[in-house]
Amino acid sequence: MSSSEIKTTCPYCGVGCGVLVSVDEAMNVSVRGDPEHPANLGRLCSKGAALGETLGPDNRLLYPMLDGERSDWGRALDRVAGEFRRIIETHGPDAVAFYVSGQLLTEDYYVANKLMKGFIGSANIDTNSRLCMSSAVAGHRRAFGSDSVPCSYEDLERAKLIVLAGSNTAWCHPVLFQRIRRAKQDNPDLMVVVIDPRRTSSCDIADLHLALRPGSDLTLFNGLLAWLERAGEVNRLFVERCTEGAAEALAAAREQAGDPDQVARDCGLPTEQLREFYRLFARTERVVTVFSQGINQFSYGTDKVNAILNCHLATGRIGRPGMGPFSLTGQPNAMGGREVGGLANQLAAHMDIEDPAHRDRVQRFWDSPRIAERPGLKAVELFQAVAEGRVKALWIMATNPAVSLPDSNRVRAALEACEFLVVSDCVERTDTTAYADVLLPALGWGEKEGTVTNSERRISRQRAFLSAAGEARPDWWIVSEAARRMGFEQAFDYRTVAEVWREHAALSGFENDGARDFDISALAGLGDEAYDHLQPIQWPVTANTPDGTARLFGDGRFHTPSGRARLVAVGERRPEHATDADYPLVLNTGRVRDHWHTMTRTGKSPRLSGHIVEPYAELHPHDAARYGISDNGLVRLRSRWGEISVRARVSDAQQPGSVFVPMHWNLQFSSVPSVDCLVNPATDPVSGQPEFKHTPVAIEPRDLAWYGFILSRRRLELHDAVPQGAFSGSCGTIHLAYWVCAKGQGMWRYEIAGDQAPEDWARQARVLLCSQDREVDWLEYFDTAANRYRAARLVDGRLESCIFIGPDIELPSRDWLSQLFEQGPLNDAERTSLLTGKPAAGQKDAGHVVCACFGVGVNTLIEAIQEQKLSSVEEIGEVLKAGTNCGSCVPELKALLAAHH
């Protein structure tokens, strides 16, 4: 680490990678992995490596706005405080709510939770973490008496068996996936089992892939528990001394899933494959079960979590190196939010809102006039309450619920109808900010200071290396200033973020005799300088464990009243909505490799936008043939809650009867409002987590009059269009049935299609591409009979924009044309080849991006494999660097080697 580098933490997933950042005199930001950070040991994924590309000023919210007009902090905060106070006085505290985010730092979260639960007096504060991790929280609390993740990342290296259940770790937690890959290389005895209906990139290292029927994980793990008992693998000593409920849980497992052959049929698995997994789990002591959204995001996700925990508790495989159930969190600070009580059914410091002693303790510590006495509204029911008018004032912080919540059309209607809506964010234009009465500019990553907690309970510092953009302020300051204006000056008189930290840490140890798991009281006395230099550390951090705690429950003691872990009897459950003749396919949603959440950050990066440019529906070839769908064609997906149009991707990696659609795209980047407009709003009755992984849908081809693409140095105004509506540009109007945009190097790429062929394409092209301030050189090609049109617009010899239109999806590759935007004036050969869309003799087309970390295209890879006779991923890395950073592209590199070596 050089003296000019700043140590901070990546703002993406819950791995919590350490980052070293340097800023030069021209304010160019360079990012590399921190080799000293225990979470990543210097590695970064493609998203982390591209962080420097995402910090530009475009689309930053720079100053407060009232009703769409620029304002100042005084007037904006007066309006927020005044409206909340008025509504509380008129309708009571439960008529207001906060909806917060795993993007907030722990200190921000703490202040927001304190204001709502201790001073407003309602528990109506919930978080987008409800959508991804709340079933894990509920399962932990039922089994352990606390929301405790028992494992550490080092357990992945020390395990003999790793089970990846409902987790595409290769794409969603790439740095951890590389730790597993490396551990497997170093220890050939390490076995990896992937449990997932899809064949994902995580299967690249799998010894066994269980492609089970969607939603049948509960049956699978109940069957495993019954098998373990029958095989004599129940640890009777541990069960008798350290657990309760085992007899009931084992009886339920025997009754529900005692016959392995029937379990295999129910899960849609070959019997011998299921038995192989059961035997492997039974005979392996050091086993880690990694689970994530594929387990959590069901209407019975909590039961699925407890089914996994039951297997570890029954065998005593918990609390020791190389073993345990391991929930991987999706957001950078979902864990920190859980620690401060950011969920509507929790109090701060992992205390229970339904426990009178806990409520009394928190109220006394805060010296607050009141304390919430019952759980508040969870995310889905919160927005239902907004739609019904029961919640009249809503403050959304650092999240985009118009895109991310299920049944999102109803969510948008609720936001539109909300009496008073406040949004604090660092981004000006999102699908959610469009509905706000008040917009408050918050600091972004690189500007703010605070802490985050990763999936292994490791607290790390986020540090500023940039000055604030415009008038942006820290979230803890914004909430505190509103609280002060509501009459709570003394309780929110924080001057620095370190003061908030010290209070948060002190509360964790307040009257804590060890009965509560979350305790960082040894860090409560940190001065400002010590806080600034805080090193990554795993909680608990107490007087007895000042250096932190690597793993929990090694002493066999848990945080239940009896001190024993609970095995929970879980019966058979099915998804809330079954497929039928009208909606015969199962929709599953999730992430892609290089994008994250709603693309407000990754959408700014050309290299992250190059791997997958458009939203798609992936389906099996049998289903494609059945419904008349061609690869790369447009399709319409319908459910009982909405419909969208996306590209088709035909792949045998998908299970017959299922469709996968990524969750990221929205109206800022496409005509697709959100795949979540299709998703049913069913929730888990215990955790409140939505069922994102199972919605019945129908699919059909969507044939349009024309298809095309645009490449342009400037961003067009299509993001102002309504879905399947009219785009009004500076030179006229054009009707688009479909559009998607993606950032490229020096340009924007647009995929477009329409259901009405214009009479004059030359005029329509000028609607989209024209600029009236400079002389331009137009190159055009017409084939009226075939309905083909191509044009390019050059300014001073440089390619400014181009448009290609045809009657079908067969159009030239965009890759070579995109390369032309990275250079100066075109030469004669390039001008001649321009409208063919093909490189001239002697020029090369790199092809679409495979390795985002180093920008290596598919054609470059194929050429190197063939000409240099490369035979391994390692040899590709030596020549082109591809696959040598995050490793997420390695499965694709292997596929290219198999096809072209």
Side-chain angles (χ1 to χ4, degrees):
M1 173 181 171
S2 71
S3 59
S4 62
E5 286 182 311
I6 302 295
K7 282 179 174 278
T8 187
T9 311
C10 180
Y12 286 118
C13 75
V15 176
C17 294
V19 175
L20 297 177
V21 180
S22 58
V23 184
D24 65 20
E25 294 180 356
M27 300 306 294
N28 297 309
V29 176
S30 298
V31 173
R32 67 185 181 98
D34 182 355
E36 297 178 355
H37 197 290
N40 58 316
L41 305 173
R43 280 189 176 271
L44 291 177
C45 72
S46 58
K47 295 182 286 293
L51 276 167
E53 298 178 8
T54 67
L55 298 173
D58 55 306
N59 202 24
R60 279 300 301 270
L61 181 59
L62 300 175
Y63 41 77
M65 299 183 71
L66 298 181
D67 302 318
E69 300 294 330
R70 179 172 180 171
S71 186
D72 57 61
W73 276 109
R75 286 189 293 166
L77 289 167
D78 286 345
R79 172 90 175 272
V80 172
E83 287 295 296
F84 267 75
R85 191 169 53 241
R86 175 186 65 81
I87 289 171
I88 292 167
E89 291 171 352
T90 305
H91 302 283
D94 288 335
V96 302
F98 294 167
Y99 187 63
V100 296
S101 165
Q103 305 301 294
L104 293 176
L105 302 185
T106 299
E107 294 81 356
D108 305 323
Y109 247 132
Y110 178 85
V111 174
N113 185 62
K114 177 181 176 180
L115 173 58
M116 179 56 74
K117 289 178 179 158
F119 290 81
I120 292 175
S122 171
N124 281 350
I125 174 172
D126 210 43
T127 168
N128 61 7
S129 301
R130 177 73 60 189
L131 310 183
C132 56
M133 299 315 303
S134 56
S135 289
V137 173
H140 290 156
R141 294 178 70 186
R142 289 206 299 191
F144 308 145
S146 59
D147 177 18
S148 306
V149 177
C151 297
S152 289
Y153 294 158
E154 65 183 37
D155 290 319
L156 299 172
E157 282 100 358
R158 303 182 72 168
K160 291 292 187 180
L161 169 64
I162 296 175
V163 180
L164 301 178
S167 171
N168 184 10
T169 317
W171 277 20
C172 299
H173 300 91
V175 170
L176 290 186
F177 185 74
Q178 292 313 308
R179 288 185 71 157
I180 297 171
R181 182 192 294 276
R182 189 164 58 251
K184 191 168 174 59
Q185 291 170 346
D186 294 342
N187 177 16
D189 292 336
L190 171 61
M191 302 290 285
V192 175
V193 175
V194 171
I195 300 172
D196 196 313
R198 296 191 298 147
R199 187 178 73 246
T200 68
S201 291
S202 298
C203 296
D204 184 56
I205 62 170
D207 298 283
L208 180 65
H209 173 211
L210 301 182
L212 77 178
R213 182 173 291 117
S216 63
D217 321 65
L218 181 57
T219 301
L220 179 74
F221 282 99
N222 266 342
L224 174 59
L225 184 62
W227 176 284
L228 292 169
E229 182 186 33
R230 188 166 53 250
E233 293 296 336
V234 172
N235 187 331
R236 295 295 177 184
L237 184 62
F238 180 85
V239 166
E240 291 170 6
R241 291 183 177 180
C242 302
T243 74
E244 57 192 16
E248 294 82 358
L250 288 166
R254 287 194 302 271
E255 179 182 353
Q256 300 289 340
D259 178 3
D261 294 340
Q262 184 60 48
V263 170
R265 287 191 291 273
D266 291 343
C267 293
L269 295 171
T271 301
E272 185 50 40
Q273 191 182 61
L274 176 108
R275 287 174 176 268
E276 181 183 357
F277 168 56
Y278 284 179
R279 287 192 294 265
L280 187 60
F281 194 105
R283 70 171 183 253
T284 307
E285 178 76 1
R286 298 210 304 266
V287 55
V288 174
T289 304
V290 171
F291 63 95
S292 196
Q293 317 304 12
I295 296 296
N296 298 328
Q297 289 180 333
F298 276 85
S299 57
Y300 48 100
T302 304
D303 283 353
K304 293 208 290 180
V305 170
N306 282 114
I308 292 172
L309 303 187
N310 285 346
C311 295
H312 280 270
L313 291 172
T315 55
R317 296 171 185 171
I318 189 169
R320 290 178 284 154
M323 63 183 71
F326 202 166
S327 162
L328 294 187
T329 51
Q331 296 193 81
N333 203 31
M335 290 282 281
R338 287 146 66 173
E339 292 157 14
V340 303
L343 292 166
N345 54 321
Q346 292 180 333
L347 280 178
H350 280 196
M351 284 184 268
D352 188 349
I353 201 169
E354 296 181 281
D355 187 323
H358 288 189
R359 294 199 303 269
D360 174 71
R361 181 181 298 124
V362 174
Q363 185 174 8
R364 284 188 289 109
F365 181 87
W366 281 341
D367 192 22
S368 61
R370 54 190 66 87
I371 195 76
E373 296 183 350
R374 61 183 182 275
L377 297 168
K378 300 181 179 75
V380 171
E381 58 189 8
L382 168 59
F383 283 86
Q384 290 171 347
V386 173
E388 295 164 6
R390 291 183 286 122
V391 169
K392 301 178 181 298
L394 176 63
W395 189 344
I396 296 169
M397 304 178 197
T399 187
N400 196 1
V403 180
S404 58
L405 278 165
D407 194 9
S408 62
N409 287 337
R410 181 170 179 174
V411 172
R412 291 171 188 267
L415 294 172
E416 177 69 35
C418 187
E419 183 175 327
F420 184 62
L421 179 63
V422 182
V423 178
S424 48
D425 209 322
C426 60
V427 179
E428 180 178 357
R429 292 186 306 276
T430 72
D431 288 26
T432 297
T433 60
Y435 298 98
D437 298 294
V438 180
L439 284 176
L440 301 175
L443 295 180
W445 182 77
E447 300 164 359
K448 57 187 178 179
E449 297 269 353
T451 58
V452 293
T453 306
N454 73 357
S455 295
E456 61 169 352
R457 295 171 285 105
R458 190 177 299 279
I459 298 168
S460 298
R461 284 278 279 111
Q462 273 200 14
R463 297 180 175 90
F465 52 87
L466 297 172
S467 57
E471 299 175 15
R473 297 290 186 271
D475 287 282
W476 65 263
W477 180 91
I478 297 170
V479 176
S480 295
E481 286 298 310
R484 290 164 64 86
R485 284 166 168 79
M486 294 175 70
F488 310 125
E489 294 91 341
Q490 290 186 345
F492 294 87
D493 61 351
Y494 308 110
R495 295 166 299 172
T496 67
V497 66
E499 291 183 0
V500 183
W501 164 265
R502 286 189 284 270
E503 183 177 310
H504 160 58
L507 176 55
S508 74
F510 183 59
E511 297 179 356
N512 189 352
D513 58 2
R516 305 200 308 270
D517 65 330
F518 178 68
D519 188 343
I520 55 172
S521 54
L523 303 174
L526 295 181
D528 289 3
E529 184 175 355
Y531 171 77
D532 187 53
H533 291 91
L534 178 64
Q535 296 301 303
I537 191 167
Q538 290 175 281
W539 62 258
V541 189
T542 67
N544 294 327
T545 58
D547 297 323
T549 309
R551 57 187 59 81
L552 304 179
F553 309 133
D555 60 357
R557 302 297 296 169
F558 297 84
H559 295 282
T560 60
S562 67
R564 295 168 175 263
R566 303 186 191 101
L567 280 80
V568 178
V570 286
E572 281 303 293
R573 293 280 303 279
R574 292 287 182 265
E576 186 76 13
H577 300 279
T579 56
D580 56 26
D582 293 328
Y583 300 97
L585 303 174
V586 173
L587 171 68
N588 171 20
T589 67
R591 297 181 183 179
V592 298
R593 190 188 78 185
D594 294 339
H595 278 309
W596 199 73
H597 279 204
T598 62
M599 297 166 58
T600 52
R601 179 180 287 115
T602 56
K604 291 184 174 185
S605 168
R607 54 173 153 164
L608 296 181
S609 300
H611 182 240
I612 295 176
V613 174
E614 297 179 80
Y616 61 88
E618 184 177 271
L619 71 164
H620 192 274
H622 293 168
D623 292 324
R626 178 182 179 184
Y627 298 108
I629 291 166
S630 59
D631 189 42
N632 204 41
L634 283 175
V635 295
R636 179 184 284 111
L637 278 167
R638 294 181 293 105
S639 77
R640 291 181 175 85
W641 296 272
E643 71 173 56
I644 60 171
S645 293
V646 294
R647 293 284 183 188
R649 177 177 290 191
V650 180
S651 170
D652 62 4
Q654 184 62 259
Q655 189 171 124
S658 295
V659 181
F660 174 81
V661 180
M663 69 185 199
H664 310 287
W665 278 265
N666 55 78
L667 292 181
Q668 307 308 306
F669 296 93
S670 72
S671 57
V672 180
S674 167
V675 65
D676 288 328
C677 75
L678 301 177
V679 174
N680 77 89
T683 60
D684 183 300
V686 180
S687 70
Q689 183 155 357
E691 193 158 60
F692 286 105
K693 299 299 187 185
H694 196 287
T695 295
V697 295
I699 193 169
E700 62 187 8
R702 189 175 185 199
D703 296 321
L704 296 174
W706 58 269
Y707 304 83
F709 66 87
I710 296 170
L711 307 178
S712 174
R713 289 190 185 275
R714 64 185 178 91
R715 185 167 186 177
L716 307 180
E717 298 176 15
L718 300 191
H719 59 278
D720 293 329
V722 297
Q724 304 176 19
F727 154 61
S728 295
S730 57
C731 301
T733 299
I734 185 169
H735 291 269
L736 299 177
Y738 172 85
W739 66 269
V740 174
C741 71
K743 188 74 160 43
Q745 293 290 351
M747 57 87 188
W748 287 86
R749 170 177 166 180
Y750 292 82
E751 298 293 325
I752 57 176
D755 51 12
Q756 296 175 297
E759 295 180 1
D760 185 351
W761 261 116
R763 186 181 68 81
Q764 291 289 9
R766 285 158 174 78
V767 169
L768 290 167
L769 304 183
C770 77
S771 177
Q772 301 175 355
D773 57 347
R774 289 181 292 178
E775 292 294 325
V776 299
D777 184 9
W778 279 89
L779 305 178
E780 292 183 279
Y781 163 82
F782 297 86
D783 185 342
T784 305
N787 193 26
R788 299 187 188 278
Y789 173 80
R790 299 177 182 185
R793 179 173 172 271
L794 283 70
V795 176
D796 299 327
R798 298 169 74 232
L799 181 58
E800 186 72 14
S801 53
C802 60
I803 181 170
F804 284 66
I805 301 296
D808 51 42
I809 60 174
E810 298 301 322
L811 292 163
S813 167
R814 289 68 160 160
D815 302 308
W816 174 72
L817 291 166
S818 297
Q819 293 171 214
L820 298 179
F821 288 86
E822 300 180 54
Q823 63 187 59
L826 305 187
N827 60 38
D828 290 342
E830 289 165 339
R831 288 175 66 100
T832 301
S833 301
L834 186 56
L835 294 187
T836 71
K838 299 177 180 179
Q843 296 181 328
K844 294 184 177 180
D845 176 2
H848 72 267
V849 171
V850 173
C851 175
C853 295
F854 296 104
V856 185
V858 63
N859 294 340
T860 302
L861 287 160
I862 293 172
E863 179 181 301
I865 291 169
Q866 293 177 335
E867 294 186 359
Q868 301 187 46
K869 301 189 184 307
L870 305 181
S871 60
S872 69
V873 171
E874 290 74 20
E875 289 179 355
I876 290 175
E878 291 175 5
V879 174
L880 298 171
K881 293 188 176 181
T884 61
N885 184 43
C886 75
S888 298
C889 62
V890 167
E892 291 173 80
L893 299 182
K894 288 184 175 180
L896 290 173
L897 283 167
H900 300 285
H901 174 63

